[in-house]
Amino acid sequence: MGKKDRAGGEKMMDSRFQKLKTLKVIAERLNEATDIKEMLKDVLKELLHVTGLHSGWIFTIQENGEYELAADHRLPPGLEWNQKKPMCEGGCWCINRYHDGRLKTAVNIINCKRIEEAIDQEWGDTNGITHHATVPLRAGTEKFGLLNVASPNKQHFSEEELALLESVAYQIGTAMKRIQLVEKERKHALIEERNRLAQDLHDSVNQLLFSIMLTARGTKEMTQEPDVKEMLTYMQELSQEALNEMKGLIWQLRPPGLENGVGAALLQYATILGLTVKSSIAGVSTLPCHIEEELWRIGQEALNNCKKHAETKEVSLTLTRQSTFVELVVGDHGTGFNYNEHAQFPTFGLKGMKERVTRLNGIFSLESSLGKGTVITIAIPLQRGV
C-alpha cells in the first residue's frame, strides 16, 4: 500500500473515530436527561464543543405550526437582538420546508432568512455566519423540531458532517420521546395516587364526620339543657360544613362522575357548590382521557370562580365537541371586573387555566366588565384520528 493510500485510510479512520466519539458523548448526556428543555440546552452545547462548530439553536415545533426557540448557544449579536426576537418570530426556509414535508434529512441552508434580516435591519454583528445546516429532530415517524448549527465563514457542510448531525438529531428525538413517555407515566401515577387518596378520605374522614353528626344528634335528644342542646346543634352544623368541604376536596382529587363524562362531572360539581346551571352538552362522552382530565380541572376552576366572586348562583355552561376541537364556555351575569387582555391575569386561578389550555395548544378567551358578568371560553384541538 502506498503512502497516499495509507494517509487516506488513516484520515478515514480518524474521521470515523471522531464520529463515534461524538455519538458516545452525546448519548451519555441524553441518557442522563429527565427534562426536555434542559436536555436540549446541554446536548447542543456539548455537540458544538465536540464538533468544533461555533453556534447552534433548536426549534421545537407543534403540529399546529407554532414553534419555540427551545435552546441556543453562542448566537451572534444580530440574532440575539431585542431578547432574541429574530429567532422567535416569522418564518424561514427550514421551518417552511419542515411543515410541508420537504425537509426529511440534514441539509445545507443557503442565505438564511433570519441572518439576512439581521444584516438588513442592522440588528448587530452576525460574526461572519451566513449559512447553517439544519436537520429534523425525530423518533421513527414522529417529528419534534429542528436542530441548526453554524460557524463563521462556513458556507458548506460535507455529506459526512450532515450524516453525523443526522445521527445526533435522531438520538435527540429518541430522547425527547423517552422523556415524554416517562412524563406521561408520571402523570398517570399521580392520577392513580390522587384516586387512592380520594378513596381513603371517603372511607375514613367522611365516615368519621358523619359519625360525629349522628352522635351529636343522638346526644341532643337525650338532654333537656338548652345550653347543651345549642352546643350540640353547633357541633352538627360544623360537622355538616366540614363534610361538605371534604366532599368538595374529594371531587378535586377524584371526580367520581368522570366515568360518565366530563359534562356530568362538571354539573355534579356545580351542584355541590350550590350553583344553578343552565347547560348545553353534546358529543363529549368519548373524549381522550388527557383532554377530559384538563377540561375537568379548567371547568372546576371556572365554577369555583363563579361561586367565590360572581355573587350569583346562576351560571351557564356549554360543552360541545366539533369536528376538530372541543369547546367549553362558562359564564355568569354577576359582578364581573375590569379586564384588560394585555395585562396580567388578576388571579392565579385564571393564569392556571390559561396555562392548561396553552399546554394543549388550545385557545383561551376571557370577557368581563363591572356589573356585566364574566364569560370564559376555551377551545382545545382534538388529536388526529380521535
Side-chain angles (χ1 to χ4, degrees):
M1 181 182 293
K3 292 183 179 180
K4 185 175 182 180
D5 291 334
R6 284 198 301 271
E10 290 173 356
K11 183 177 181 181
M12 183 178 295
M13 289 297 294
D14 289 342
S15 176
R16 290 177 178 175
F17 177 76
Q18 180 63 31
K19 178 178 180 180
L20 290 174
K21 180 182 177 182
T22 300
L23 293 176
K24 178 179 179 295
V25 171
I26 296 300
E28 289 173 350
R29 286 298 182 108
L30 293 175
N31 287 336
E32 298 170 357
T34 57
D35 178 85
I36 288 180
K37 284 197 172 183
E38 289 301 318
M39 177 267 287
L40 293 177
K41 292 177 182 178
D42 291 342
V43 76
L44 179 61
K45 182 178 179 180
E46 191 65 38
L47 172 64
L48 296 177
H49 173 71
V50 298
T51 59
L53 296 169
H54 185 272
S55 302
W57 56 96
I58 294 176
F59 293 123
T60 52
I61 306 175
Q62 306 297 328
E63 286 189 6
N64 64 2
E66 294 184 3
Y67 71 89
E68 177 185 5
L69 180 65
D72 64 86
H73 187 64
R74 290 192 302 202
L75 289 176
L79 297 182
E80 288 193 326
W81 175 79
N82 194 14
Q83 299 181 337
K84 303 175 184 177
K85 185 177 179 180
M87 307 298 291
C88 301
E89 296 182 358
C92 61
W93 189 97
C94 53
I95 288 182
N96 293 341
R97 300 307 191 273
Y98 175 93
H99 286 313
D100 61 28
R102 284 184 285 170
L103 185 56
K104 297 180 179 180
T105 59
V107 297
N108 289 285
I109 299 299
I110 301 174
N111 299 329
C112 173
K113 178 181 177 182
R114 299 179 192 276
I115 296 174
E116 282 188 342
E117 189 172 9
I119 295 173
D120 292 342
Q121 299 296 327
E122 297 183 349
W123 288 335
D125 192 0
T126 58
N127 292 345
I129 292 177
T130 56
H131 300 65
H132 67 83
T134 188
V135 54
L137 302 175
R138 60 186 178 88
T141 59
E142 189 170 358
K143 298 190 300 182
F144 302 98
L146 289 171
L147 165 67
N148 301 280
V149 293
S151 280
N153 305 313
K154 186 175 179 63
Q155 299 184 5
H156 181 77
F157 289 80
S158 68
E159 291 298 323
E160 191 171 354
E161 288 176 315
L162 293 178
L164 173 60
L165 291 174
E166 194 163 18
S167 298
V168 171
Y170 190 80
Q171 283 186 312
I172 295 173
T174 302
M176 293 175 73
K177 182 63 176 179
R178 173 183 61 80
I179 293 173
Q180 285 182 353
L181 290 174
V182 171
E183 180 64 17
K184 185 176 181 180
E185 182 63 27
R186 188 193 68 80
K187 288 182 178 179
H188 178 73
L190 181 60
I191 291 172
E192 289 296 319
E193 179 61 18
R194 285 208 309 260
N195 291 345
R196 185 197 63 77
L197 178 58
Q199 190 63 49
D200 289 347
L201 289 172
H202 181 273
D203 293 342
S204 57
V205 181
N206 264 14
Q207 292 181 13
L208 181 60
L209 289 171
F210 189 67
S211 296
I212 292 174
M213 288 177 57
L214 291 179
T215 301
R217 183 186 303 170
T219 305
K220 188 168 65 174
E221 294 176 355
M222 296 172 58
T223 182
Q224 301 299 321
E225 294 292 330
D227 291 344
V228 176
K229 281 181 175 290
E230 183 178 351
M231 289 299 297
L232 290 170
T233 299
Y234 183 58
M235 285 179 60
Q236 280 184 275
E237 293 173 351
L238 285 179
S239 299
Q240 182 62 59
E241 184 177 345
L243 190 60
N244 291 338
E245 290 287 339
M246 185 58 62
K247 286 180 179 179
L249 177 59
I250 290 174
W251 263 84
Q252 293 181 42
L253 291 170
R254 180 178 179 266
L258 201 56
E259 66 273 9
N260 296 320
V262 65
L266 289 173
L267 291 178
Q268 190 171 349
Y269 185 67
T271 300
I272 289 178
L273 293 178
L275 299 173
T276 301
V277 181
K278 181 180 179 181
S279 64
S280 175
I281 299 172
V284 294
S285 59
T286 57
L287 290 173
C289 293
H290 71 287
I291 291 180
E292 192 173 57
E293 174 79 10
E294 294 295 343
L295 281 172
W296 155 246
R297 297 299 170 187
I298 294 166
Q300 176 193 47
E301 183 62 36
L303 291 171
N304 278 332
N305 285 343
C306 292
K307 170 71 174 179
K308 294 177 182 178
H309 308 299
E311 297 184 12
T312 178
K313 293 184 177 181
E314 305 290 332
V315 301
S316 62
L317 186 151
T318 301
L319 181 59
T320 55
R321 174 175 179 161
Q322 308 298 330
S323 58
T324 59
F325 66 93
V326 59
E327 184 180 64
L328 171 65
V329 183
V330 179
D332 64 71
H333 295 288
T335 55
F337 59 94
N338 288 323
Y339 172 66
N340 179 359
E341 64 179 352
H342 300 295
Q344 291 185 343
F345 287 112
T347 68
F348 286 110
L350 289 172
K351 182 180 179 182
M353 281 191 280
K354 174 67 180 298
E355 289 174 350
R356 286 181 181 275
V357 175
T358 300
R359 282 200 299 269
L360 293 174
N361 299 319
I363 299 172
F364 179 93
S365 173
L366 170 65
E367 297 178 8
S368 186
S369 58
L370 284 175
K372 295 184 179 180
T374 302
V375 177
I376 292 173
T377 303
I378 68 167
I380 296 175
L382 297 169
Q383 293 180 344
R384 293 178 182 177
V386 172

